[in-house]
Amino acid sequence: ADKFADVASYRHWSLWSPYAKIDIYEHPFYQFIIGAYNHRVLWNWSGDLIVDYPGFAFVRPADRTALIGASAGFESRFMPAGMPPERLTLVEIDPAVVGFFRGHSEKNDGVFNRYPVVVADGRSFLDHRLEPLDVLIVGSLDSTARSPWRSSPLSSGLYTREAVLRASQVVGPEGLLVYIPRDQRLARSALRAGSEAGLRSWAFYR
């Protein structure tokens, strides 16, 4: 049987954000937490899951890095060893998510208490960012995948040609842009927008 299937056995928190009702579930045995907006799962945290993000291999410990769409902070686990906390900025639009994990820091290894956090829309963060970055990561915030664990159909202004161009300006000509779409259509959209913005693009998609 699927070890994650018995949702009734999960520990449960329910809260309201400015955007929707959030239900947060914690598996009773595994270090696994999922967050659902209006009963559609959007993000998760796992302290045990190891994910190979090819683009992260190019991130250096000294790089000034921002992660847009931090959610529970899962992708921060895969930053290079030795990266000082002040070099990674987490950008999350929902203050309720940030507040929950700051109040329950043991649930995600204290991510929101360890790194600088900006509570803002990702596109707004790009538009108002004045200091350059070495690395900009757009996290897996745009899922339209069909899996029941990835079922929230979102749209975002971060995959437009204008947004990709602005992102390229923030990181500069030697910077690194990493997009983590969960859906093939969004992967193609990110590559197309990058090409239209005149960027050199390398694609890694699983």
Side-chain angles (χ1 to χ4, degrees):
D2 185 346
K3 63 184 179 182
F4 298 121
D6 186 15
V7 178
S9 66
Y10 284 37
R11 188 177 179 187
H12 174 240
W13 296 265
S14 184
L15 58 150
W16 284 91
S17 83
Y19 307 99
K21 179 177 181 288
I22 307 176
D23 292 289
I24 298 175
Y25 300 90
E26 180 181 29
H27 194 278
F29 304 114
Y30 301 93
Q31 192 178 358
F32 186 76
I33 294 177
I34 58 175
Y37 282 63
N38 293 333
H39 308 294
R40 289 180 175 271
V41 172
L42 182 60
W43 51 259
N44 66 63
W45 166 272
S46 174
D48 304 315
L49 181 65
I50 301 299
V51 178
D52 180 21
Y53 292 122
F56 286 16
F58 300 98
V59 182
R60 300 164 299 190
D63 283 340
R64 297 161 298 179
T65 304
L67 169 61
I68 292 180
S71 298
F74 178 69
E75 281 95 355
S76 70
R77 293 184 57 231
F78 306 104
M79 292 297 98
M83 173 178 273
E86 66 272 13
R87 303 303 274 183
L88 176 63
T89 298
L90 304 179
V91 183
E92 169 55 41
I93 191 174
D94 197 332
V97 173
V98 175
F100 175 83
F101 283 109
R102 278 181 167 165
H104 299 81
S105 60
E106 76 283 0
K107 303 300 181 187
N108 70 340
D109 293 347
V111 164
F112 287 119
N113 295 324
R114 192 184 331 145
Y115 299 110
V117 177
V118 175
V119 180
D121 170 72
R123 182 62 185 271
S124 175
F125 173 79
L126 289 180
D127 290 343
H128 293 90
R129 177 78 186 189
L130 298 178
E131 298 179 3
L133 292 168
D134 300 305
V135 179
L136 177 63
I137 302 167
V138 179
S140 47
L141 73 170
D142 283 278
S143 175
T144 57
R146 298 298 184 264
S147 164
W149 297 107
R150 298 281 193 276
S151 59
S152 182
L154 293 181
S155 59
S156 172
L158 290 166
Y159 284 87
T160 65
R161 178 183 179 277
E162 293 76 16
V164 173
L165 180 59
R166 175 56 189 154
S168 70
Q169 293 168 344
V170 170
V171 298
E174 300 301 320
L176 174 67
L177 289 177
V178 180
Y179 288 83
I180 315 175
R182 297 189 183 116
D183 184 88
Q184 290 186 16
R185 291 169 296 176
L186 287 170
R188 290 193 296 266
S189 177
L191 285 171
R192 183 170 57 250
S195 297
E196 291 174 354
L199 304 181
R200 294 176 297 169
S201 300
W202 289 270
F204 301 93
Y205 182 79
R206 274 196 327 188

